[in-house]
Amino acid sequence: MQHPDPHSHYDSSQPKARRLRLKLRVDFNARRIDGEVVLEFGGMMSGPLDLDTKGLEIRSVQVPGHGPIRWELGPVDPILGQRLRLEVPEGTQEVAVAYGTAPDAMALQWLSPEQTEGKAAPFLFSQCQQIHARTMVPCQDTPLVRIAYTAEVNVPEGLTAVMSAGPTGQEALGNGRHVFRFLMPQPIPSYLLALAVGRLEARDLSPRARVWAEPETVAAAAWEFAGVEEMILKAEGLFGPYPWDRYDMLVLPPSFPYGGMENPRMTFLTPTLLAGDRSLVDVVAHELAHSWTGNLVTNASMEHFWLNEGFTVWAERRILRILHGDDAAALGWAMGQKALEDSLDQFKSEPQLTVLRMHLEGIDPDDAFSSIPYEKGARLVAALEREVGEERFLRFLRDYMDAFRFTSITTEQFCSFVGTKLPGALEAVNAKAYLDQPGMPDTAPEFRSVQLDTLTVLAESWPDGGRPSARQIAAWKPTELLVYLQKLPRRLTPADCAWLDEHFQLMGRGNYEILVEWLTLAANADYEPAFPRIREVLLRVGRMKYLRPLYGALGQHGRTRALAREIFAAASPGYHGLSRRVVQGVLDKNPA
Ligand code: BES
Ligand code: ZN
């Protein structure tokens, strides 16, 4: 028995599935997917086969041509779920499992029509990262196993299904149901399985990119993301040809718990990116960059998550630098620095979660999530780049992509590759300090620019009466304002808040990064005029990045603590299970 991934029952002495054939029937009334999955092994196998499941009702297990076979579900583990052990007879090439999902399957959020923009039809979306694919499909739910897949998705007539795959056809069944077919020919880790079903429309942005959204938002989405082809071209300049054929995007309803999710061929995005001024497209640059860093070269388990996210943050800022210049990239790094400091603070009593090479046995990867793998990881990548020079580093990256394409690797594999290609570089940047020691090494690269220094000095002078001039207020771009707000002292007075709102019109902002930063400051200051807007945001949006600081700030004062509880009671039925868990955790830290 060998379990190389602490978050999976996958046994590396057993064969790996190579391909899945999925049939999914989406039942909105029962909030259930009735599924059949055929796991193909690409050769003969026999003996025990262990799969991951969580909350699934297993109905039958068959070997085609042989009939039903023996299976057994193991005990329930609150993090891992249940092992499904199959006894596979001699000569088996594939096994078929029929099953149903649980109504509270963590991978799935079922939305009522009222929770959508159009209010006309229900909506379903999946979110499998980190380890939720097992609540949607029984599988070897570890990135160590990569699978191609085909799928047939049966949905109510009038709704459209999209997946992390290419469409291969669709047909009306004539009984009020419609079938959509998909093919993902390249091998992907299970966490990149993805499905969404709803009232959807698409707009082409380039010959290989389109955006999907509800009809009510699709025009705004097409405008916001019109620059995506240019981003793809810049990313190709860094990493080589785009490996996944199409780059399509889906804008989800506002309860989507993340900013973006890099599902291959179909990035999922929060509608909070639709700021109306293209100021939040860095999230698209990030998800696009995952097409190489993450989806092509993948972390072997969540203990090596920094290989996915650290590289991708670095790549995102590199793309932004090419598109918008050094100053814009420096502001990106400054926002990252703030997120990093917040996370280091959040984990100050759990320093073992601030290293890059994590030890997560017995720990829910969603609980270990923070900006540390992102920002500490990106700083290690940047340090290596500075050490060897940009050109040599880019050549190294190309070699890295070639050597590990369509594989899942550990930190050790990464280090030994760097050791061969860039001898001495790991030692020169003190990589061990990033990988295995808590906190930040003091040799970490800094990113400065005149503009950033100006914003910092001005924000830090707030307690001494320093205020931005009318000219600055008029000239700042959204990211400059955001960095300024982030650098203000956390404890403002209600009068300070009134000044800020009057001069920057913060309450009415459509850029959620600015709006939430402002509302967080306001909540910290117990600034009553902001309460209605806070309520509105928390009732509409389920993105965890916004819920965490807002509910956290509301925990600072008696009446805002009461407000937080009242809002949560009203909002939580509309939140994703992941978001609900995170907010509950924040509220528990600040008892009433
Ligand atoms: N892959 C992540 C989202 C994720 C991480 C989902 C861990 C589940 C578990 C995605 O690429 C991401 O990092 N999104 C960020 C955006 C970004 C610009 C840092 C987000 O959602 O905020
Ligand atoms: Zn990411």
Side-chain angles (χ1 to χ4, degrees):
M1 225 175 44
Q2 290 155 33
H3 292 132
D5 180 343
H7 296 119
S8 173
H9 290 104
Y10 165 64
D11 183 334
S12 55
S13 68
Q14 299 173 0
K16 295 178 177 179
R18 299 274 196 78
R19 231 167 88 101
L20 304 184
R21 300 202 305 271
L22 288 161
K23 279 190 188 158
L24 306 174
R25 187 180 185 283
V26 176
D27 184 340
F28 277 100
N29 293 323
R31 299 201 156 186
R32 186 180 65 229
I33 293 179
D34 294 300
E36 186 190 293
V37 59
V38 178
L39 299 102
E40 298 176 15
F41 294 90
M44 308 273 206
M45 64 135 340
S46 63
L49 178 75
D50 294 341
L51 303 179
D52 291 299
T53 74
K54 200 171 183 183
L56 296 179
E57 182 203 330
I58 304 299
R59 295 174 183 158
S60 80
V61 185
Q62 312 243 347
V63 170
H66 174 101
I69 62 167
R70 282 202 11 233
W71 56 271
E72 180 197 21
L73 276 173
V76 175
D77 178 284
I79 300 169
L80 299 190
Q82 276 174 294
R83 182 185 77 186
L84 172 62
R85 171 160 289 181
L86 316 182
E87 291 299 336
V88 179
E90 211 65 49
T92 295
Q93 307 211 29
E94 54 184 51
V95 294
V97 184
Y99 65 94
T101 59
D104 61 349
M106 203 50 122
L108 303 175
Q109 192 178 11
W110 300 87
L111 301 177
S112 63
E114 297 68 49
Q115 287 173 278
T116 66
E117 207 62 57
K119 319 246 178 272
F123 201 105
L124 167 69
F125 68 83
S126 71
Q127 169 57 45
C128 287
Q129 199 181 15
Q130 306 280 9
I131 53 169
H132 307 304
R134 66 195 65 180
T135 70
M136 186 167 91
V137 184
C139 61
Q140 292 162 316
D141 193 9
T142 167
L144 289 165
V145 176
R146 305 181 73 100
I147 39 129
Y149 77 86
T150 60
E152 248 183 64
V153 186
N154 177 314
V155 305
E157 192 69 66
L159 300 189
T160 299
V162 296
M163 290 192 82
S164 53
T168 52
Q170 52 167 295
E171 109 203 42
L173 297 179
N175 58 353
R177 308 284 303 181
H178 202 95
V179 165
F180 291 83
R181 295 197 178 79
F182 301 92
L183 166 66
M184 167 45 84
Q186 290 126 318
I188 59 164
S190 53
Y191 76 82
L192 293 177
L193 279 170
L195 166 70
V197 180
R199 226 172 107 252
L200 294 175
E201 230 174 85
R203 292 274 187 284
D204 283 336
L205 304 175
S206 85
R208 58 175 161 178
R210 75 172 55 117
V211 63
W212 289 89
E214 285 189 69
E216 290 74 16
T217 37
V218 75
W223 186 87
E224 203 82 31
F225 306 132
V228 69
E229 178 61 31
E230 211 185 334
M231 277 188 186
I232 304 175
L233 291 168
K234 301 302 179 217
E236 287 186 312
L238 292 176
F239 296 129
Y242 178 71
W244 302 92
D245 186 28
R246 294 196 55 90
Y247 184 76
D248 294 338
M249 295 169 280
L250 168 67
V251 177
L252 289 141
S255 67
F256 185 59
Y258 290 98
M261 176 65 212
E262 65 271 25
N263 298 315
R265 298 183 187 222
M266 188 64 71
T267 281
F268 283 17
L269 297 169
T270 166
T272 60
L273 301 185
L274 304 177
D277 59 6
R278 297 182 180 151
S279 56
L280 298 177
V281 293
D282 55 330
V283 177
V284 175
H286 178 98
E287 305 314 334
L288 170 66
H290 271 307
S291 305
W292 290 267
T293 51
N295 297 2
L296 193 59
V297 181
T298 308
N299 54 209
S301 77
M302 298 316 152
E303 297 189 322
H304 309 281
F305 186 53
W306 81 273
L307 284 174
N308 276 18
E309 296 301 343
F311 264 93
T312 302
V313 167
W314 174 86
E316 162 204 334
R317 303 217 173 114
R318 201 67 170 65
I319 294 170
L320 287 187
R321 203 181 105 202
I322 300 170
L323 287 174
H324 304 301
D326 288 341
D327 279 358
L331 290 177
W333 285 102
M335 293 186 267
Q337 184 69 31
K338 166 78 166 41
L340 177 60
E341 284 161 13
D342 288 351
S343 289
L344 288 171
D345 188 53
Q346 181 195 337
F347 285 142
K348 60 176 179 290
S349 55
E350 294 163 288
Q352 74 283 7
L353 296 179
T354 71
V355 300
L356 290 182
R357 189 183 350 220
M358 301 227 254
H359 304 281
L360 295 179
E361 186 86 51
I363 298 178
D364 186 331
D366 287 325
D367 293 341
F369 180 84
S370 81
S371 291
I372 290 162
Y374 288 79
E375 296 295 340
K376 190 177 180 181
R379 279 160 179 76
L380 171 55
V381 177
L384 288 169
E385 180 188 27
R386 284 192 183 177
E387 174 61 27
V388 304
E390 275 182 23
E391 250 178 62
R392 192 158 161 231
F393 191 70
L394 271 187
R395 280 202 305 278
F396 161 80
L397 272 183
R398 296 287 188 105
D399 289 348
Y400 173 64
M401 299 290 157
D402 279 347
F404 295 113
R405 51 194 286 122
F406 295 112
T407 68
S408 304
I409 65 167
T410 60
T411 303
E412 296 72 58
Q413 284 170 286
F414 168 75
C415 288
S416 90
F417 191 75
V418 180
T420 324
K421 296 285 173 181
L422 304 171
L426 289 172
E427 295 74 13
V429 304
N430 193 10
K432 261 201 82 52
Y434 294 82
L435 297 175
D436 301 316
Q437 286 163 23
M440 279 305 287
D442 25 304
T443 54
E446 283 181 26
F447 301 87
R448 292 185 54 185
S449 72
V450 175
Q451 183 194 29
L452 178 57
D453 287 346
T454 312
L455 291 169
T456 309
V457 170
L458 186 57
E460 285 171 357
S461 74
W462 181 276
D464 309 321
R467 299 289 180 271
S469 69
R471 248 191 53 216
Q472 284 170 313
I473 290 171
W476 280 351
K477 295 199 199 70
T479 32
E480 291 172 280
L481 171 56
L482 176 59
V483 167
Y484 174 74
L485 293 176
Q486 288 183 340
K487 294 205 173 264
L488 284 176
R490 293 298 88 186
R491 272 312 166 98
L492 297 177
T493 64
D496 293 336
C497 289
W499 191 96
L500 285 168
D501 187 31
E502 188 195 326
H503 289 83
F504 287 106
Q505 310 292 311
L506 293 167
M507 220 70 96
R509 292 277 164 163
N511 175 318
Y512 267 79
E513 293 290 323
I514 292 175
L515 180 63
V516 171
E517 186 63 32
W518 151 247
L519 293 176
T520 304
L521 283 168
N524 266 326
D526 198 21
Y527 180 61
E528 193 171 4
F531 293 176
R533 192 78 173 110
I534 291 174
R535 180 193 307 271
E536 220 170 70
V537 168
L538 292 176
L539 279 169
R540 177 179 140 77
V541 175
R543 185 176 177 188
M544 294 188 282
K545 181 181 180 189
Y546 299 147
L547 301 186
R548 211 180 267 114
L550 268 177
Y551 278 104
L554 290 173
Q556 306 299 310
H557 305 273
R559 66 171 171 174
T560 53
R561 273 201 290 280
L563 181 66
R565 280 176 168 69
E566 176 205 317
I567 296 175
F568 182 58
S572 83
Y575 287 163
H576 190 283
L578 288 164
S579 308
R580 208 176 296 135
R581 224 177 122 239
V582 157
V583 176
Q584 193 62 61
V586 173
L587 294 181
D588 290 346
K589 272 195 196 146
N590 296 305

